Amino acid sequence: MLTQFSRTELTFGALNMEKLFASRVIVFGLGGVGSYVAEALSRSGVGALDLVDDDRICLTNLNRQLYALHSTIGRRKVDVASERIHDINPQCKVSTHAVFFLPEHADEFDFSRYDYVVDCIDTVTAKIQLVVQAVRCGVPVISCMGAGNKVDPGLLEVSDISATSVCPLARVMRQELRKRGVEHLKVVYSREPSIPPVRDEETGCKSHCVCPPGTKRTCAARNEVPGSNAFVPAAAGLLIASEVVRDITGFHRREPQVPKKARTQKAPRSPVEGPSAATVTDGGFEAGSEWL
């Protein structure tokens, strides 16, 4: 019988889908990165999601955050996220935590209850606490490094933090985690140098804050408001979700079997003559045709 996960099952198989249905993942931060993580995990069949964010949707979130619409401005992100996820997958168990996670909140979360911890928050001290706590509990964790002030999603990559470069946040995290005995951490980071934000006092967030009533940390209180867009944070979030799903399932890509001696035939009615003509092998089309 077809279900909403039938297409996913065609890739991962029934056994791996059962692993996803039985899994529980906690996502810290529902901004430009975290909102796409939660979305992709819910659409992939993760059975239970814990969402942690105390922020409210602001007008300036509309350029990048999945839950930000004109109709949702002023609402808590966790509430909008929960409604959307239940509309995607009514069977998903969603727990919301309207908390701005800081080290002092560490005791409020028992990480041993989760199959995966996802860090999509901005505060360095909180990111360090999340990672250290997950490592102590033996729970897989993935952390997003800086996604602001960048324009090229093609320069994002998944890496161990020990192998990162360029990203200032990754450098600080690497140094601080090493002091705490953590040498390895899976991260998504960008090799793109940061682009300095264009400052405009007439329209800047710090001088003309539009955060909705009830927002605890307004733009005016931030040291710096980074530039952002619709594509880099979203791509980072989808990369993270891909890692989580594949780690939970233990999925490994099945490489196609290619015969040692591929039988070669002339392609029917090739539009190009000579060396650039396409040929058909047992493995598919060879390069060289304008058809490709």
Coordinates of all heavy atoms in Angstrom, one line a residue, residues 130-180:
L130 N 26.2 22.1 24.2 CA 25.5 21.1 23.5 C 26.4 19.9 23.1 O 26.1 18.7 23.3 CB 24.8 21.7 22.3 CG 23.5 22.5 22.4 CD1 23.1 23.0 21.1 CD2 22.4 21.7 23.1
V131 N 27.5 20.3 22.5 CA 28.4 19.3 22.0 C 29.0 18.4 23.1 O 29.0 17.2 23.1 CB 29.5 19.9 21.1 CG1 30.6 18.9 20.7 CG2 28.9 20.6 19.9
V132 N 29.5 19.1 24.1 CA 30.1 18.4 25.3 C 29.1 17.5 25.9 O 29.4 16.3 26.2 CB 30.7 19.4 26.3 CG1 31.1 18.7 27.6 CG2 31.8 20.2 25.7
Q133 N 27.9 18.0 26.1 CA 26.8 17.1 26.7 C 26.5 15.9 25.9 O 26.3 14.8 26.4 CB 25.6 18.0 27.0 CG 24.6 17.4 27.9 CD 23.6 18.5 28.4 OE1 23.9 19.7 28.4 NE2 22.4 18.1 28.8
A134 N 26.4 16.1 24.6 CA 26.1 15.0 23.7 C 27.2 14.0 23.7 O 26.9 12.7 23.7 CB 25.8 15.5 22.3
V135 N 28.4 14.4 23.7 CA 29.6 13.5 23.7 C 29.6 12.7 25.0 O 29.9 11.5 24.9 CB 30.9 14.3 23.5 CG1 32.1 13.4 23.7 CG2 30.9 14.9 22.1
R136 N 29.3 13.4 26.1 CA 29.3 12.6 27.4 C 28.3 11.6 27.4 O 28.5 10.5 28.0 CB 29.1 13.6 28.5 CG 30.3 14.5 28.8 CD 29.9 15.6 29.9 NE 31.0 16.5 30.2 CZ 31.0 17.6 30.9 NH1 29.8 18.0 31.4 NH2 32.0 18.3 31.1
C137 N 27.1 11.8 26.7 CA 26.0 10.9 26.7 C 26.2 9.8 25.6 O 25.4 8.9 25.5 CB 24.7 11.6 26.5 SG 24.2 12.6 27.9
G138 N 27.2 10.0 24.8 CA 27.4 9.0 23.7 C 26.4 9.1 22.6 O 26.1 8.1 21.9
V139 N 25.8 10.3 22.4 CA 24.8 10.5 21.4 C 25.4 11.3 20.2 O 26.1 12.2 20.4 CB 23.6 11.3 22.0 CG1 22.5 11.6 20.9 CG2 23.0 10.6 23.2
P140 N 25.1 10.8 19.0 CA 25.6 11.5 17.8 C 25.1 13.0 17.8 O 24.0 13.3 18.1 CB 25.0 10.7 16.6 CG 24.7 9.4 17.2 CD 24.3 9.6 18.6
V141 N 26.0 13.9 17.4 CA 25.7 15.3 17.3 C 26.3 15.9 16.1 O 27.4 15.5 15.6 CB 26.2 16.0 18.6 CG1 27.7 15.8 18.8 CG2 25.8 17.5 18.5
I142 N 25.6 16.8 15.5 CA 26.1 17.5 14.3 C 25.9 19.0 14.6 O 24.8 19.4 15.1 CB 25.5 17.1 13.0 CG1 26.1 17.7 11.8 CG2 24.0 17.3 13.0 CD1 25.8 17.1 10.4
S143 N 26.8 19.8 14.2 CA 26.7 21.3 14.5 C 26.9 22.1 13.2 O 27.8 21.8 12.4 CB 27.8 21.6 15.5 OG 27.8 22.9 15.9
C144 N 26.1 23.1 13.1 CA 26.2 24.0 12.0 C 27.2 25.2 12.4 O 27.0 25.8 13.4 CB 24.9 24.6 11.6 SG 25.0 25.6 10.1
M145 N 28.1 25.5 11.5 CA 29.0 26.6 11.7 C 28.3 27.8 11.1 O 27.2 27.8 10.7 CB 30.4 26.3 11.1 CG 31.1 25.1 11.8 SD 31.5 25.4 13.6 CE 30.2 24.5 14.4
G146 N 29.1 28.9 10.8 CA 28.5 30.1 10.3 C 27.9 30.0 8.9 O 28.6 29.6 8.0
A147 N 26.6 30.4 8.8 CA 25.9 30.4 7.5 C 25.6 31.8 7.1 O 25.0 32.0 6.0 CB 24.7 29.5 7.6
G148 N 25.8 32.8 7.9 CA 25.5 34.2 7.6 C 26.6 34.8 6.8 O 27.8 34.3 6.8
N149 N 26.3 35.9 6.1 CA 27.3 36.7 5.4 C 28.0 35.8 4.3 O 29.2 36.0 3.9 CB 28.4 37.2 6.3 CG 27.8 38.2 7.3 OD1 26.8 38.9 7.0 ND2 28.5 38.3 8.4
K150 N 27.2 34.9 3.7 CA 27.7 34.1 2.6 C 26.7 34.0 1.5 O 25.5 34.1 1.7 CB 28.1 32.7 3.1 CG 29.1 32.7 4.3 CD 29.4 31.3 4.8 CE 30.2 31.4 6.1 NZ 31.4 32.2 6.0
V151 N 27.2 33.7 0.3 CA 26.2 33.7 -0.9 C 26.3 32.4 -1.7 O 25.5 32.2 -2.6 CB 26.4 34.9 -1.8 CG1 26.1 36.2 -1.1 CG2 27.8 35.0 -2.4
D152 N 27.3 31.5 -1.5 CA 27.6 30.4 -2.3 C 27.3 29.1 -1.6 O 28.2 28.6 -0.9 CB 29.0 30.4 -2.9 CG 29.2 29.4 -3.9 OD1 28.4 28.5 -4.2 OD2 30.3 29.4 -4.6
P153 N 26.1 28.5 -1.8 CA 25.9 27.2 -1.1 C 26.8 26.1 -1.6 O 26.9 25.1 -0.9 CB 24.4 26.9 -1.4 CG 24.1 27.7 -2.6 CD 25.0 28.9 -2.5
G154 N 27.4 26.3 -2.7 CA 28.2 25.2 -3.3 C 29.5 25.1 -2.5 O 30.3 24.1 -2.6
L155 N 29.8 26.0 -1.6 CA 31.0 25.9 -0.8 C 30.8 25.4 0.6 O 31.7 25.3 1.4 CB 31.7 27.3 -0.7 CG 32.3 27.9 -2.0 CD1 32.8 29.3 -1.8 CD2 33.4 26.9 -2.5
L156 N 29.6 24.9 0.8 CA 29.2 24.2 2.1 C 29.7 22.8 2.0 O 29.7 22.2 0.9 CB 27.7 24.2 2.3 CG 27.1 25.5 2.7 CD1 25.6 25.4 2.5 CD2 27.4 25.9 4.1
E157 N 30.2 22.2 3.1 CA 30.6 20.8 3.1 C 30.5 20.3 4.5 O 30.4 21.0 5.5 CB 32.0 20.7 2.6 CG 33.1 21.4 3.4 CD 34.5 21.1 2.7 OE1 34.6 21.5 1.6 OE2 35.3 20.6 3.5
V158 N 30.4 18.9 4.5 CA 30.3 18.2 5.8 C 31.8 17.8 6.1 O 32.5 17.3 5.2 CB 29.4 17.0 5.7 CG1 29.4 16.2 7.0 CG2 28.0 17.4 5.3
S159 N 32.2 18.0 7.3 CA 33.6 17.7 7.7 C 33.7 17.4 9.2 O 32.7 17.8 10.0 CB 34.5 18.9 7.3 OG 35.8 18.7 7.7
D160 N 34.8 16.9 9.6 CA 35.1 16.9 11.0 C 35.7 18.3 11.3 O 36.4 18.9 10.5 CB 36.2 15.8 11.3 CG 36.4 15.7 12.8 OD1 35.7 14.9 13.5 OD2 37.3 16.4 13.3
I161 N 35.4 18.7 12.5 CA 35.8 20.1 12.8 C 37.3 20.3 12.8 O 37.8 21.4 12.6 CB 35.2 20.5 14.2 CG1 35.3 22.0 14.4 CG2 35.9 19.8 15.4 CD1 34.5 22.6 15.5
S162 N 38.0 19.2 13.0 CA 39.5 19.2 13.0 C 40.0 19.5 11.6 O 41.2 20.0 11.5 CB 40.1 17.9 13.5 OG 39.7 16.8 12.6
A163 N 39.2 19.4 10.6 CA 39.7 19.6 9.2 C 39.1 20.8 8.6 O 39.2 21.1 7.4 CB 39.3 18.4 8.3
T164 N 38.4 21.7 9.4 CA 37.8 22.9 8.8 C 38.8 24.0 8.6 O 39.9 24.0 9.2 CB 36.7 23.4 9.8 OG1 37.2 23.6 11.1 CG2 35.6 22.4 9.9
S165 N 38.4 24.9 7.8 CA 39.3 26.1 7.5 C 38.4 27.2 7.1 O 37.2 27.1 6.9 CB 40.2 25.8 6.3 OG 39.5 25.5 5.2
V166 N 39.0 28.4 7.1 CA 38.3 29.7 6.7 C 37.3 30.2 7.7 O 37.3 31.3 8.1 CB 37.6 29.5 5.3 CG1 36.9 30.9 4.9 CG2 38.6 29.1 4.3
C167 N 36.3 29.3 8.2 CA 35.2 29.7 9.0 C 35.7 30.1 10.4 O 36.3 29.3 11.2 CB 34.2 28.6 9.1 SG 32.8 28.9 10.2
P168 N 35.5 31.4 10.8 CA 35.9 31.9 12.1 C 35.2 31.1 13.3 O 35.9 30.8 14.3 CB 35.6 33.4 12.1 CG 35.5 33.7 10.7 CD 34.9 32.5 10.0
L169 N 33.9 30.8 13.1 CA 33.2 30.2 14.2 C 33.8 28.7 14.4 O 33.9 28.3 15.5 CB 31.7 30.1 13.8 CG 30.8 29.3 14.8 CD1 31.0 29.9 16.2 CD2 29.4 29.4 14.4
A170 N 34.1 28.1 13.3 CA 34.7 26.7 13.4 C 36.0 26.8 14.1 O 36.3 25.9 14.9 CB 34.8 26.1 12.0
R171 N 36.8 27.8 13.9 CA 38.1 27.9 14.5 C 37.9 28.1 16.0 O 38.6 27.4 16.8 CB 38.9 29.1 14.0 CG 40.2 29.3 14.6 CD 41.0 30.4 13.9 NE 40.4 31.7 14.0 CZ 39.8 32.3 13.0 NH1 39.7 31.8 11.8 NH2 39.3 33.5 13.2
V172 N 37.0 28.9 16.5 CA 36.7 29.1 17.9 C 36.2 27.9 18.5 O 36.6 27.4 19.6 CB 35.7 30.3 18.1 CG1 35.3 30.4 19.6 CG2 36.3 31.6 17.6
M173 N 35.2 27.2 17.9 CA 34.7 26.0 18.4 C 35.8 24.9 18.5 O 35.8 24.2 19.5 CB 33.6 25.5 17.5 CG 32.3 26.3 17.5 SD 31.3 26.0 19.0 CE 30.8 24.3 18.8
R174 N 36.6 24.8 17.5 CA 37.7 23.8 17.5 C 38.6 24.0 18.7 O 38.9 23.0 19.5 CB 38.5 23.8 16.2 CG 39.5 22.8 16.1 CD 40.1 22.8 14.7 NE 40.7 24.1 14.3 CZ 40.3 24.9 13.4 NH1 39.2 24.6 12.7 NH2 40.9 26.0 13.1
Q175 N 39.0 25.2 19.0 CA 39.9 25.5 20.1 C 39.2 25.3 21.4 O 39.8 24.7 22.3 CB 40.3 27.0 20.0 CG 41.2 27.3 18.7 CD 41.4 28.8 18.5 OE1 40.7 29.6 19.2 NE2 42.3 29.1 17.6
E176 N 38.0 25.7 21.6 CA 37.3 25.6 22.8 C 37.0 24.1 23.2 O 37.0 23.7 24.3 CB 36.0 26.4 22.9 CG 36.3 27.9 22.9 CD 37.1 28.4 24.1 OE1 36.9 27.9 25.2 OE2 38.0 29.2 23.9
L177 N 36.6 23.4 22.1 CA 36.2 22.0 22.4 C 37.5 21.2 22.7 O 37.5 20.3 23.5 CB 35.6 21.4 21.1 CG 34.1 21.8 20.9 CD1 33.6 21.4 19.5 CD2 33.2 21.4 22.0
R178 N 38.6 21.5 22.1 CA 39.9 20.8 22.4 C 40.2 21.0 23.9 O 40.7 20.1 24.5 CB 41.0 21.3 21.5 CG 42.3 20.6 21.6 CD 43.3 21.1 20.7 NE 42.9 20.8 19.3 CZ 42.9 21.7 18.3 NH1 43.2 22.9 18.6 NH2 42.6 21.3 17.1
K179 N 40.0 22.2 24.4 CA 40.3 22.5 25.8 C 39.4 21.6 26.7 O 39.8 21.3 27.9 CB 39.9 23.9 26.2 CG 40.8 25.0 25.5 CD 40.4 26.4 25.9 CE 41.2 27.4 25.1 NZ 40.7 28.8 25.4
R180 N 38.3 21.1 26.2 CA 37.4 20.3 27.0 C 37.5 18.8 26.6 O 36.6 18.0 27.0 CB 35.9 20.8 26.8 CG 35.7 22.2 27.4 CD 34.5 22.9 26.7 NE 34.1 24.2 27.4 CZ 34.8 25.3 27.1 NH1 35.8 25.3 26.2 NH2 34.4 26.4 27.8

